[in-house]
């Protein structure tokens, strides 16, 4: 999952980035409102963390402008302590949640996970395709009750695939949701990582149907049955 952090205090922005990267998220930072709006409207993010007081355009305006452009990426507003009006206008402008500064990283992480989970509320915290499950809270991946150990990037890739079961995902879509802007990933890298995942998820189960399918000329799909 790829997250945009718009925050002019470099220290806060960088510590959020570092913390989220340790949790296998891809993170871009913007340090002005203008850059934040440009990135949010040109790149594909799964979540935006947005400060209110920013040079250029403020967070409330960014939020309104994105929603008026039909960009519905979940937005979490960061407000300074006690500024109740900010929270209210943030939520009124189309934000999904807010967090008061200063905050504990654990709380930010919990809210990030809750926002990303929203469309999946009926399924709870686990993503599943066939006999493969991924628990988004414990990071545990299992197939047929066998525990599978993945690197952070492999996990991020599998999570993205599992959030779109039976859908064809292009390499470009995968790159833009699994890697950050600075990563300069080539389509070949996606092939390499798909290969790593197959080695761990499909190859150890030779008598089962492979879950990851290549759709020639289009991309990849994860699903329990071949279509
Ligand atoms: Ca600020």
């Amino acid at each position: 999952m790829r997250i945009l952090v718009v925050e002019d205090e470099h220290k806060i922005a960088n510590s959020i980035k570092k913390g989220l990267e340790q949790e296998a998220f891809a993170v871009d930072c913007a340090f002005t409102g203008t850059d934040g709006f440009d990135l949010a409207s040109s790149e594909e993010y799964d979540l935006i963390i947005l400060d209110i007081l920013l040079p250029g355009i403020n967070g409330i305006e960014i939020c309104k402008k994105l929603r008026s452009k039909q960009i519905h990426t979940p937005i979490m507003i960061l407000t300074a302590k006690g500024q109740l009006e900010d929270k209210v206008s943030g939520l009124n402008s189309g934000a999904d949640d807010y967090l008061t500064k200063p905050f504990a990283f654990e709380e930010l992480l919990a809210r990030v996970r809750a926002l990303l989970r929203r469309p999946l509320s009926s399924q709870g915290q686990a993503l599943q395709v066939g006999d493969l499950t991924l628990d988004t809270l414990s990071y545990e991946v299992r197939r047929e009750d066998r525990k599978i150990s993945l690197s952070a990037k492999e996990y991020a890739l599998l999570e993205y695939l599992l959030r779109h079961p039976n859908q064809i995902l292009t390499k470009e879509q995968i790159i833009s949701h699994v890697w950050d802007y600075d990563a300069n990933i080539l389509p070949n890298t996606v092939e390499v990582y798909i290969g790593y995942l197959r080695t761990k998820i499909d190859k150890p189960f030779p008598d089962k149907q492979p879950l990851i399918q290549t759709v020639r000329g289009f991309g990849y799909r994860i699903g329990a049955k071949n279509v």
Side-chain angles (χ1 to χ4, degrees):
M1 300 282 106
R2 187 179 179 199
I3 297 177
L4 174 65
V5 177
V6 189
E7 163 64 82
D8 58 323
E9 284 170 69
H10 286 239
K11 220 175 129 187
I12 297 179
N14 290 330
S15 79
I16 295 175
K17 178 178 164 78
K18 207 176 143 200
L20 289 174
E21 282 175 349
Q22 280 171 358
E23 304 293 329
F25 293 102
V27 183
D28 292 330
C29 288
F31 304 108
T32 68
T34 324
D35 286 351
F37 176 72
D38 287 348
L39 275 176
S41 43
S42 61
E43 298 289 316
E44 288 183 37
Y45 292 101
D46 300 292
L47 177 76
I48 300 168
I49 297 174
L50 188 58
D51 186 27
I52 292 188
L53 290 177
L54 291 163
I57 320 166
N58 75 46
I60 303 291
E61 287 307 311
I62 292 175
C63 205
K64 284 185 193 157
K65 284 172 69 153
L66 290 175
R67 295 304 186 234
S68 73
K69 286 178 69 131
Q70 303 300 314
I71 294 171
H72 299 292
T73 313
I75 293 176
M76 184 166 71
I77 292 270
L78 296 178
T79 69
K81 199 178 175 190
Q83 289 177 290
L84 180 67
E85 282 173 30
D86 283 352
K87 292 173 193 167
V88 173
S89 53
L91 294 172
N92 283 342
S93 67
D96 301 274
D97 196 8
Y98 63 84
L99 185 61
T100 306
K101 292 197 270 189
F103 52 83
F105 180 75
E106 287 67 29
E107 185 178 5
L108 177 123
L109 182 62
R111 285 170 182 264
V112 162
R113 284 182 174 148
L115 282 175
L116 290 174
R117 220 165 35 227
R118 270 191 188 174
L120 302 162
S121 51
S122 59
Q123 301 169 40
Q125 67 201 45
L127 302 169
Q128 183 169 14
V129 150
D131 54 1
L132 177 76
T133 56
L134 178 150
D135 187 313
T136 57
L137 274 188
S138 66
Y139 294 95
E140 210 169 80
V141 175
R142 287 177 178 272
R143 184 164 188 192
E144 229 190 18
D145 286 332
R146 230 189 285 174
K147 207 168 157 179
I148 295 170
S149 151
L150 299 179
S151 74
K153 252 329 157 206
E154 291 163 1
Y155 175 91
L157 173 59
L158 181 62
E159 180 183 3
Y160 181 62
L161 296 175
L162 284 174
R163 282 180 189 271
H164 305 87
N166 303 309
Q167 277 176 46
I168 299 173
L169 299 166
T170 66
K171 288 178 187 171
E172 290 70 25
Q173 280 175 308
I174 292 171
I175 290 171
S176 54
H177 287 272
V178 177
W179 278 273
D180 63 43
Y181 193 77
D182 296 325
N184 281 322
I185 292 299
L186 297 171
N188 277 351
T189 311
V190 177
E191 273 168 49
V192 170
Y193 275 87
I194 289 280
Y196 294 156
L197 273 186
R198 284 188 163 131
T199 304
K200 294 182 175 180
I201 282 163
D202 284 329
K203 293 218 178 106
F205 304 90
D207 50 340
K208 299 213 148 205
Q209 214 167 37
L211 295 174
I212 300 173
Q213 298 133 27
T214 302
V215 185
R216 293 242 167 264
F218 293 98
Y220 301 98
R221 176 175 54 207
I222 198 161
K225 50 180 177 247
N226 283 307
V227 182

